[in-house]
Amino acid sequence: MAKHGALLYSYAFPILALAMSLLCTAIDEEDRKVHIVYLGSLPSDELYSPLSHQLGILERVVQGSSAANVLVRSYGRSLNGFAAKLTNRERQKLANMKEVVSVFPSTTFQLHTTRSWDFMGFSESISRSKMVESNVVMAVIDSGIWPESDSFKDDGFGPPPKTWKGACQGGQNFTCNNKIIGARFYTSEESARDEIGHGSHTASTAAGNAVKDVSFYGLARGTARGGVPAGRIAAYNVCTNQGCSSVDILAAFDDCVDDGVSLITISIGRTVATSFETDPIAIGAFHAMKKGILTVQSAGNSGPGNGTVSSGAPWILTVAASSIDRKFITKAVLGNETNLVGISVNSFESNESSYPLIYGKNASKQCSEFLARYCLEGCLDPDLVKEKIVLCDWSGGYVEADRAGAKGAILSNSRDDVASVVPLSATGLNNREYAVAKSYQNSTRNPRAKILKSEIIKDPAAPCVASFSSRGPNRIVPEILKPDITGPGIDIVAAYSPNASVSASPYDERHVKYNVLSGTSMSCPHAAGVAAYVKEFHTDWSPAAIKSAIMTTAWPMNDTSTSPGEFAYGSGHLNPVRAINPGLVYEASEEDYMKFLCMMLDEEKIRLISGDKSTCPTGSDKGSPKDLNYPSMAANVTSMNLFTINFHRRVKNVGLANSNYKALISTNSKVDIKVVPEVLSFKSLNEEKNFTVTVDGRDMPEGSHVSASLCWYDGSHNCIVRSPIVISSVSA
């Protein structure tokens, strides 16, 4: 019997093992998830086929399916890689291959004017060369574009520049022209047409035509225009209402770099920063930089908390958002004649009529009082709010008030720097003003109120960094100060999709050609427009030089709730007119960035990314991330210790051939900062000089910061080149 049992076991065990293997494979097949496999740069071999190579790699790891069946997208125009549906086991095998830089899951990214350009001193009459400007092609990676908008008409435009190699593949009923010279889509909607409004808004802010007499229902009337109105636009649609896929974002970079664009603006990001080799925007922007193309990205809308900035790569210009000197206010008048001033973009006329006032918690039959007071979705009863104004303890309560058919809404708005477009007559009050409204409602037998149409006032405090704007420090590399710059991002009027909802309410049936939006999504294309303007005057400048010019000529800022302020606004506020004459620039080459990456990745991966036989420095030559020739300076030190920090920098003379610059340090901190040498003397254009900034200090408490700035002054006592310096104290 034992013999038969052993024989039975010898047959049964392999069958059981095979069954278990098949079961695991079946489970794995069901658990396939889309991942991006980044292979670095494309080989220079003309016979190299990216797709064949990528399929060959997949075939070595894929089980239970053919490589072609799991391949989602191939990247092979500007960078090397692919997206595929992988099991966890296949992902691990790929990650261990020598020819693979990184493997990371595809995630969903989020989409993060009539006055803003004038506010920066960048008037319509500013000096510009329309002929050179017409050769600038602005790539807009976003939600597409509305080609029929007046902002994108091609009246007076000649044919596209000869350097353009792209295509118009916008889908059905989409036509390009000599303004929109390229269009591609990557989403399931199979069109480059903007159905959200976001892409049209950013595109027109960066490079839209000058369109006169634009307003939002009569509010903020003026001329809407982009930074380079004579520039061309190439639109790459990677977003839907559900977000923007990593796979599609990287595909857009792969295409646009090879299409021959001049600059890239991308107002898209994630809420959490990730390492550069697993960030599709950092990867795409790196390969754009290799081709001489600067990428400008929004910092994110996750502020005001520290460490919320999601764009940390030094080859990207990262843009925060700030206010302009135009502000929308909306007044609520209580029945006792008390005037309360709030903010919103309220286009509805009041007709001087007042209506009964009801608190949200008293206007619900289906929600608890706690939920109803916030006017949460589905809580307000239409019969109880009809012909009434609702008090809501939440700034977003206007959506539910609109759904329920209320006459208006008075909202508690803790962030009183941003006006939202509202779908009904509504205003958002700060905590003090809202408490007055609630007190009146509670203490009056028949409380009433009226809400007036919004009006425009001048804001003398501008520019101030927006409360929502993501802040530093840079969680990936603290030695690279982020964001880099701030620009107009609050209440910006620009082109919009007439198919999109005007407000956040799905019940809002209004449609407009121009809308008011806020976010770092709006400040990003402002910075891209400035970068294009700089490129117009300096066509041969590198991305690093353009970025340096923008950062070192920025307006100094100091009005922020963030400590230090540089974590909110970086080098300061965009200053377009000054940016074309920076005097000196901090240059950085691909080789500099590769040396920087050597501090984070092994040499094999560095060679894959560079596409050559690059080697990494060793020993004392390896350096530190703070040694990258960056226009700002940042470092961490151990708390309550003595410290000495050295920043090694070099600048290139792009001003007068014979020129002298003297260093001056500005600081309110108890640290000693020296610059050696203190004077830089140049004898020719493009001459480079090295200098070292040394910061000595002691006993900084944990979590504290030292903020200073270095200015290079010319002979006329003007600060020509300004760089912020930030030292942060961390635990040992």
Side-chain angles (χ1 to χ4, degrees):
M1 181 70 183
K3 182 178 179 181
H4 287 297
L7 185 63
L8 179 64
Y9 179 81
S10 67
Y11 282 112
F13 183 77
I15 294 172
L16 179 63
L18 177 61
M20 290 298 294
S21 175
L22 291 172
L23 178 61
C24 288
T25 300
I27 292 172
D28 278 350
E29 285 295 313
E30 292 177 2
D31 199 34
R32 287 188 178 276
K33 296 178 180 178
V34 177
H35 285 73
I36 293 173
V37 183
Y38 175 44
L39 305 177
S41 289
L42 290 164
S44 55
D45 184 358
E46 292 183 1
L47 298 178
Y48 174 78
S49 168
L51 181 59
S52 297
H53 181 214
Q54 293 158 12
L55 285 172
I57 291 174
L58 265 178
E59 285 169 356
R60 287 153 54 189
V61 300
V62 170
Q63 297 176 329
S65 294
S66 70
N69 285 342
V70 299
L71 183 70
V72 174
R73 192 179 292 277
S74 169
Y75 309 115
R77 295 186 67 193
S78 306
L79 55 95
N80 200 0
F82 60 90
K85 296 177 182 177
L86 303 174
T87 65
N88 191 49
R89 188 180 306 177
E90 292 164 355
R91 178 193 62 78
Q92 291 174 340
K93 286 183 178 180
L94 283 166
N96 291 330
M97 288 185 175
K98 288 185 177 181
E99 61 260 62
V100 173
V101 176
S102 58
V103 182
F104 53 96
S106 176
T107 55
T108 300
F109 285 57
Q110 299 301 320
L111 292 162
H112 275 163
T113 145
T114 58
R115 173 62 190 164
S116 53
W117 292 110
D118 287 327
F119 170 66
M120 295 189 289
F122 198 56
S123 67
E124 285 188 78
S125 60
I126 203 75
S127 174
R128 62 172 77 241
S129 170
K130 288 189 177 181
M131 183 175 294
V132 177
E133 188 170 296
S134 69
N135 289 325
V136 173
V137 182
M138 184 72 69
V140 184
I141 301 178
D142 210 293
S143 66
I145 196 166
W146 191 265
E148 292 82 13
S149 171
D150 289 346
S151 291
F152 311 126
K153 287 184 176 179
D154 66 350
D155 297 345
F157 281 81
K162 293 179 180 179
T163 54
W164 175 246
K165 299 183 296 181
C168 184
Q169 297 176 348
Q172 289 187 348
N173 301 317
F174 188 102
T175 304
C176 294
N177 56 25
N178 285 328
K179 176 70 174 180
I180 304 175
I181 60 174
R184 298 182 188 274
F185 61 84
Y186 305 86
T187 67
S188 58
E189 294 176 355
E190 298 188 346
S191 175
R193 183 173 292 280
D194 181 15
E195 300 291 341
I196 300 172
H198 192 275
S200 300
H201 202 280
T202 57
S204 66
T205 302
N209 299 329
V211 182
K212 297 185 182 300
D213 200 31
V214 165
S215 72
F216 182 80
Y217 292 98
L219 297 171
R221 189 178 300 278
T223 298
R225 58 189 171 93
V228 281
R232 319 296 181 121
I233 295 170
Y236 300 82
N237 185 3
V238 299
C239 301
T240 66
N241 277 315
Q242 282 69 50
C244 322
S245 160
S246 300
V247 171
D248 298 336
I249 291 169
L250 194 56
F253 271 103
D254 189 33
D255 283 333
C256 76
V257 171
D258 195 56
D259 283 344
V261 303
S262 310
L263 291 130
I264 300 168
T265 178
I266 178 165
S267 292
I268 296 170
R270 49 168 49 125
T271 55
V272 179
T274 62
S275 60
F276 302 143
E277 76 275 16
T278 62
D279 181 347
I281 296 178
I283 291 170
F286 182 86
H287 290 277
M289 175 275 300
K290 290 181 66 170
K291 295 291 181 69
I293 302 166
L294 174 64
T295 299
V296 185
Q297 185 187 6
S298 48
N301 298 336
S302 299
N306 281 351
T308 49
V309 63
S310 61
S311 171
W315 48 86
I316 293 174
L317 180 63
T318 304
V319 192
S322 46
S323 60
I324 61 174
D325 61 350
R326 179 193 65 202
K327 188 170 186 176
F328 291 83
I329 64 166
T330 305
K331 296 175 181 176
V333 183
L334 304 181
N336 61 6
E337 300 301 317
T338 299
N339 276 269
L340 303 176
V341 180
I343 61 170
S344 70
V345 183
N346 175 35
S347 64
F348 301 96
E349 300 285 353
S350 69
N351 297 321
E352 294 300 316
S353 300
S354 67
Y355 297 90
L357 191 61
I358 187 171
Y359 190 18
K361 74 173 188 178
N362 301 323
S364 180
K365 295 177 181 176
Q366 54 269 39
C367 291
S368 67
E369 288 188 357
F370 177 78
L371 296 178
R373 61 188 280 214
Y374 295 103
C375 304
L376 296 183
E377 183 179 1
C379 282
L380 298 183
D381 187 285
D383 292 333
L384 296 177
V385 300
K386 185 178 181 181
E387 293 296 308
K388 294 177 183 175
I389 293 174
V390 188
L391 277 169
C392 301
D393 287 357
W394 175 48
S395 60
Y398 64 80
V399 176
E400 173 62 5
D402 185 38
R403 181 205 66 81
K407 196 67 181 179
I410 296 176
L411 315 160
S412 174
N413 186 11
S414 58
R415 293 189 177 186
D416 59 358
D417 58 340
V418 183
S420 298
V421 174
V422 288
L424 77 171
S425 192
T427 185
L429 304 179
N430 63 27
N431 292 338
R432 184 179 59 81
E433 300 270 272
Y434 186 69
V436 171
K438 282 182 68 173
S439 175
Y440 165 75
Q441 193 273 334
N442 287 331
S443 62
T444 306
R445 177 171 295 183
N446 295 305
R448 299 180 69 87
K450 61 183 175 184
I451 300 169
L452 308 182
K453 183 178 179 179
S454 292
E455 56 186 278
I456 304 298
I457 64 168
K458 190 174 181 66
D459 182 5
C464 296
V465 177
S467 58
F468 59 75
S469 189
S470 291
R471 266 71 166 174
N474 187 339
R475 295 295 190 192
I476 305 302
V477 187
E479 295 84 355
I480 302 298
L481 182 63
K482 291 286 181 171
D484 293 306
I485 200 83
T486 189
I490 295 179
D491 302 337
I492 304 301
V493 179
Y496 202 64
S497 168
N499 278 7
S501 175
V502 169
S503 67
S505 172
Y507 314 104
D508 192 342
E509 297 181 351
R510 294 174 298 167
H511 299 280
V512 294
K513 294 180 180 180
Y514 291 84
N515 202 359
V516 183
L517 298 182
S518 297
T520 56
S521 282
M522 284 62 253
S523 57
C524 175
H526 278 96
V530 175
Y533 182 65
V534 174
K535 192 173 183 67
E536 181 181 325
F537 284 84
H538 306 285
T539 55
D540 59 341
W541 277 14
S542 70
I546 294 172
K547 179 176 175 177
S548 173
I550 291 171
M551 292 172 65
T552 61
T553 60
W555 294 337
M557 289 181 66
N558 55 24
D559 184 12
T560 175
S561 59
T562 302
S563 179
E566 288 81 359
F567 285 168
Y569 49 70
S571 294
H573 193 282
L574 287 168
N575 188 353
V577 178
R578 273 279 290 113
I580 62 173
N581 293 306
L584 306 173
V585 294
Y586 292 82
E587 189 64 90
S589 64
E590 179 186 347
E591 183 180 348
D592 292 321
Y593 292 127
M594 294 310 304
K595 184 178 178 181
F596 170 81
L597 287 172
C598 279
M599 302 170 205
M600 301 160 218
L601 301 171
D602 61 52
E603 197 165 87
E604 283 188 355
K605 286 182 169 55
I606 292 297
R607 289 179 175 179
L608 290 172
I609 294 170
S610 66
D612 56 30
K613 297 181 180 179
S614 297
T615 58
C616 288
T618 57
S620 60
D621 293 331
K622 191 169 184 179
S624 159
K626 68 179 171 53
D627 293 326
L628 179 68
N629 198 41
Y630 210 66
S632 58
M633 304 172 204
N636 286 350
V637 297
T638 304
S639 61
M640 304 310 294
N641 277 352
L642 286 168
F643 64 86
T644 297
I645 300 291
N646 291 311
F647 297 100
H648 304 291
R649 293 292 188 269
R650 70 180 185 276
V651 285
K652 178 192 284 188
N653 180 27
V654 294
L656 297 174
N658 289 293
S659 53
N660 296 302
Y661 293 88
K662 182 177 175 59
L664 181 67
I665 294 292
S666 298
T667 180
N668 294 322
S669 306
K670 294 180 180 179
V671 293
D672 183 37
I673 304 178
K674 290 185 174 66
V675 183
V676 178
E678 287 187 334
V679 176
L680 300 178
S681 297
F682 296 92
K683 303 300 181 186
S684 62
L685 278 177
N686 297 320
E687 183 182 355
E688 292 190 317
K689 295 283 186 181
N690 295 319
F691 66 91
T692 300
V693 177
T694 301
V695 184
D696 289 301
R698 62 182 300 163
D699 299 338
M700 285 180 61
E702 183 180 342
S704 64
H705 308 276
V706 168
S707 179
S709 66
L710 162 65
C711 268
W712 289 104
Y713 280 75
D714 67 1
S716 60
H717 307 290
N718 293 320
C719 178
I720 302 299
V721 186
R722 181 180 173 277
S723 294
I725 303 169
V726 177
I727 308 297
S728 301
S729 174
V730 296
S731 60

